[in-house]
Amino acid sequence: MALRAKYQGVLDLGEKLKIANGDVTEENGVLKVKGTAGTQYEKNLMWDAIKNAGGDSPSDILANIDVADESLYARHTVVGGDTLGKIAKHYYGNAAKYTAIFEANKDILKNPDMINVDQELKIPNL
């Protein structure tokens, strides 16, 4: 039970992200976690949480996390104060990559300076 407690943040994040087909078992002192994340970004968040709890190469957890939609990196719902640059900085670490987000969303965006709250944007793989 100590392993579940150690990695409870990972399990909570999995629920928050609605990881599909999730399964958690403990066997011979190793926590086995599997499921399907919606996007690569969500999978990365899960791995970041695992490393945060267990270090860079934890030996007490095995995770098998698939990605349901590999055609894009993430989906982002616009909130107040968002700009494409701010969104690009969040996902890519570089605000200048806003153009990639704009190009991927030309079906709903006509101007990179005009996005609306509640729009769902595709964040492309780079």
Side-chain angles (χ1 to χ4, degrees):
M1 200 57 164
L3 279 177
R4 281 187 185 263
K6 178 179 179 180
Y7 290 104
Q8 189 59 50
V10 175
L11 303 178
D12 293 344
L13 178 60
E15 286 184 23
K16 180 181 173 189
L17 295 175
K18 297 181 174 119
I19 299 297
N21 307 315
D23 186 44
V24 179
T25 58
E26 191 172 333
E27 209 174 288
N28 299 323
V30 176
L31 194 65
K32 295 183 177 183
V33 179
K34 66 180 180 178
T36 304
T39 63
Q40 183 63 46
Y41 177 72
E42 291 174 352
K43 178 179 178 174
N44 291 354
L45 290 176
M46 291 293 293
W47 277 108
D48 289 346
I50 289 169
K51 290 176 184 177
N52 187 46
D56 284 340
S57 298
S59 60
D60 58 355
I61 187 169
L62 290 174
N64 181 3
I65 305 167
D66 295 321
V67 176
D69 185 355
E70 294 181 346
S71 70
L72 52 92
Y73 181 65
R75 293 188 181 279
H76 179 87
T77 301
V78 176
V79 297
D82 273 351
T83 65
L84 290 184
K86 184 176 175 182
I87 295 166
K89 177 78 173 165
H90 173 79
Y91 290 102
Y92 303 132
N94 183 345
K97 294 190 177 190
Y98 78 91
T99 56
I101 298 171
F102 177 67
E103 289 297 323
N105 291 280
K106 278 192 164 180
D107 57 327
I108 60 170
L109 300 177
K110 303 304 174 217
N111 180 332
D113 295 323
M114 305 228 2
I115 61 175
N116 299 305
V117 171
D118 293 330
Q119 280 180 310
E120 184 177 88
L121 302 178
K122 298 177 287 262
I123 309 300
N125 290 309
L126 294 183

